[in-house]
């Protein structure tokens, strides 16, 4: 007797999702609670587990289809089933040895079948042999980031040799130009709508400042080993910025407020949204009551968010709310940007890369590690004076971290 698999409850106010990929194909053996499909919602990817052990039946929906909560998506039949994918023919399997790995396209075996579409595309573009990559995703699955890291030489012993002429694809005709159409994920569609809505609704303005990172870098260098030994997490820069932002938000409450109709809602707490890179796009989990946390607690929370964003284990409720956002484009090399607010929030702080620049100190030109700060805000609520005051308070705390300790 077949067991129906239906779209599970996805969270408060979320009624539908998009089928991102099938993790099990018809005829394959399935264990109880083993993920068989991935659904994309407005905020995160959700894996659908099998309710029973058995054999994967027919898919009732296709990748890219929109499905509602409670809709039938597949069936699980009774039986033992077949392996996840048939092994490659013997001659081809023997041809793949450590000396020749990466010289040809991977055989049609277990690993290619388990790769998501975005990962398969990255494998084809980079020429990396997926069998040499250790996956960092859930259950050891390979992510797009794993492939890109391997392509940069981080995840493999040596760069893959160029394909032999026989294995190389036919060259494109002279002057030929190709296009590829890829359906936008539900998350990307939502990001696009929210960002455009922010531009259409808020009176956006960005104010800049810069900050000397010397003191924070020195503190981090001096205490990073003891910090990691005691707290089990690395001491980064975000812990300092989150705490400094919380202090500045108390000094300038409007930056931590939001407009609701014809009212202004002020918050006596700081729930800080932090932008985190995930395989399916940028996600923004929230550090609840960050103003009540220590630097170590902030760093632990951010580290946990980063790991679970990669594995797709972030929960939707962890990305709801937030009174202020910090986005660190500096990790990707950004020198300066004008970030867009995350509605209904009224402001977002953009951090950027640290670089040595000449500055004047006590009448002398010296070289210091400097970072540009950008505060984008809703000018309907936040005046320029308040934006500048916030940035100066943040700058003072970062340039003299003792202020964070004594709340000055």
């Amino acid at each position: 007797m077949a067991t129906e698999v239906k779209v599970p409850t996805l969270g408060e106010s979320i009624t539908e999702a998009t089928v991102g990929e099938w993790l099990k194909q018809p005829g394959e053996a399935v264990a109880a609670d083993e993920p068989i499909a991935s659904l994309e919602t407005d905020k995160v990817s959700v894996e659908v587990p099998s309710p029973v052990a058995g054999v994967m039946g027919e898919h009732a929906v296709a990748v890219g289809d929109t499905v509602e909560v409670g809709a039938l998506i597949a069936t699980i039949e009774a039986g033992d089933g077949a392996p996840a994918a048939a092994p490659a023919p013997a001659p081809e399997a023997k041809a793949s040895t450590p000396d020749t790995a990466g010289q040809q396209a991977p055989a049609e075996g277990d690993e290619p079948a388990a790769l998501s579409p975005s990962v398969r595309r990255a494998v084809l573009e980079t020429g990396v042999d997926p069998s040499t990559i250790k996956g960092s995703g859930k259950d050891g699955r390979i992510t797009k980031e794993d492939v890109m890291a391997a392509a940069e030489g981080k995840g493999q012993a040596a760069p893959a040799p160029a394909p032999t002429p026989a294995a190389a694809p036919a060259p494109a005709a002279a002057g030929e130009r190709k296009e590829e159409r890829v359906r936008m994920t539900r998350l990307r569609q939502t990001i696009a709508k929210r960002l455009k809505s922010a531009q259409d609704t808020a009176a956006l303005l960005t104010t800049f400042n810069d900050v000397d990172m010397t003191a924070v870098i020195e503190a981090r260098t001096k205490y990073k080993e003891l910090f990691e030994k005691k707290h089990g997490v690395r001491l980064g820069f975000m812990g300092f910025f989150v705490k400094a932002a919380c202090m500045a938000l108390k000094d300038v409450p409007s930056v931590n407020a939001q407009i609701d109709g014809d009212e202004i809602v002020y918050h006596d707490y700081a729930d800080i949204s932090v932008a985190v890179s995930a395989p399916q796009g940028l996600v923004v989990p929230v550090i609840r009551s960050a103003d009540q946390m220590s630097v170590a607690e902030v760093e632990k929370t951010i580290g946990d968010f980063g790991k679970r964003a990669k594995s797709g284990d972030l929960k939707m409720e962890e990305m709801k709310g937030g009174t202020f956002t910090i986005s660190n484009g500096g990790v990707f090399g950004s020198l300066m940007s004008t970030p867009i607010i995350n509605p209904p929030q009224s402001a977002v702080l953009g951090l950027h890369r640290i670089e040595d620049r000449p500055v004047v100190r006590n009448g002398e030109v010296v070289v210091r590690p400097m970072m540009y700060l950008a505060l984008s805000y809703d000018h309907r609520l936040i005046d320029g004076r308040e934006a500048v005051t916030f940035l100066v308070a943040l700058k003072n705390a970062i340039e003299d971290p003792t202020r964070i300790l004594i709340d000055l």
Side-chain angles (χ1 to χ4, degrees):
M1 180 177 176
T3 301
E4 294 183 339
V5 181
K6 298 182 178 182
V7 178
T9 301
L10 301 171
E12 183 182 355
S13 76
I14 298 179
T15 60
E16 62 181 21
T18 301
V19 180
E21 63 175 309
W22 283 104
L23 306 177
K24 287 291 183 177
Q25 300 302 318
E28 293 181 357
V30 179
D33 295 325
E34 183 179 9
I36 63 170
S38 174
L39 303 179
E40 295 176 351
T41 71
D42 291 351
K43 297 180 180 293
V44 294
S45 290
V46 179
E47 290 185 337
V48 180
S50 172
V52 296
V55 180
M56 187 70 200
E58 293 299 319
H59 299 160
V61 291
V63 171
D65 286 354
T66 298
V67 292
E68 296 184 351
V69 172
L72 175 69
I73 60 172
T75 57
I76 304 297
E77 308 287 344
D80 295 332
E92 293 184 9
K94 292 179 180 178
S96 179
T97 65
D99 292 334
T100 59
Q103 294 183 350
Q104 58 187 13
E108 294 291 332
D110 289 345
E111 291 184 68
L115 302 181
S116 68
S118 62
V119 174
R120 280 196 290 268
R121 189 180 306 117
V123 167
L124 292 174
E125 290 174 351
T126 60
V128 174
D129 182 355
S131 65
T132 65
I133 304 174
K134 183 178 180 181
S136 63
K138 191 170 184 179
D139 297 327
R141 285 202 294 274
I142 298 173
T143 67
K144 182 179 179 181
E145 283 71 19
D146 295 331
V147 177
M148 302 311 295
E152 294 173 2
K154 298 177 182 177
Q156 56 187 24
T164 61
E176 181 181 358
R177 300 188 300 173
K178 295 184 178 181
E179 294 181 349
E180 180 184 8
R181 289 182 180 268
V182 179
R183 183 185 180 93
M184 289 179 69
T185 64
R186 177 63 66 95
L187 176 62
R188 178 52 58 184
Q189 293 178 45
T190 301
I191 291 173
K193 290 177 182 177
R194 288 177 62 85
L195 293 181
K196 185 56 181 172
S197 175
Q199 288 183 318
D200 292 341
T201 303
L204 291 178
L205 183 63
T206 303
T207 296
F208 299 93
N209 209 322
D210 63 1
V211 59
D212 187 339
M213 297 292 291
T214 300
V216 166
I217 290 175
E218 289 177 350
R220 183 170 179 262
T221 301
K222 183 176 181 180
Y223 296 111
K224 64 180 181 181
E225 291 184 3
L226 289 174
F227 185 90
E228 185 170 2
K229 184 177 181 179
K230 180 175 181 178
H231 299 291
V233 65
R234 292 180 61 189
L235 177 59
F237 296 123
M238 280 297 287
F240 290 98
F241 276 103
V242 168
K243 293 302 295 179
C246 289
M247 292 172 55
L249 291 174
K250 288 183 179 180
D251 292 342
V252 191
S254 61
V255 180
N256 197 41
Q258 66 186 54
I259 294 176
D260 184 10
D262 59 358
E263 297 180 331
I264 299 174
V265 181
Y266 292 95
H267 306 99
D268 66 352
Y269 54 88
D271 286 352
I272 307 298
S273 304
V274 287
V276 176
S277 181
Q280 70 271 27
L282 200 67
V283 293
V284 192
V286 180
I287 306 174
R288 311 286 178 188
S289 299
D291 54 315
Q292 303 299 317
M293 290 184 173
S294 66
V295 171
E297 289 171 330
V298 169
E299 290 288 1
K300 287 179 181 179
T301 302
I302 294 175
D304 177 60
F305 283 158
K307 291 178 182 177
R308 291 193 291 121
K310 267 192 169 185
S311 63
D313 290 333
L314 279 176
K315 299 176 182 178
M316 279 169 286
E317 55 266 26
E318 293 177 303
M319 286 176 280
K320 292 181 180 178
T323 61
F324 180 77
T325 295
I326 300 178
S327 178
N328 186 6
V331 296
F332 303 110
S334 172
L335 176 63
M336 188 179 293
S337 67
T338 55
I340 299 177
I341 64 174
N342 181 23
Q345 297 174 20
S346 298
V348 54
L349 175 68
L351 308 182
H352 302 90
R353 77 169 184 252
I354 302 169
E355 66 174 8
D356 289 339
R357 291 202 299 269
V359 295
V360 178
R361 295 287 185 268
N362 300 320
E364 295 182 355
V365 177
V366 295
V367 176
R368 293 292 168 84
M370 304 297 293
M371 175 195 288
Y372 286 116
L373 304 175
L375 181 73
S376 290
Y377 54 96
D378 189 344
H379 208 357
R380 297 176 302 166
L381 172 60
I382 303 168
D383 295 330
R385 177 183 61 84
E386 293 171 311
V388 172
T389 301
F390 173 88
L391 281 177
V392 170
L394 182 78
K395 173 185 173 76
N396 289 339
I398 293 298
E399 292 186 342
D400 183 7
T402 303
R403 289 172 175 263
I404 298 176
L405 178 64
I406 62 177
D407 192 16
L408 182 60

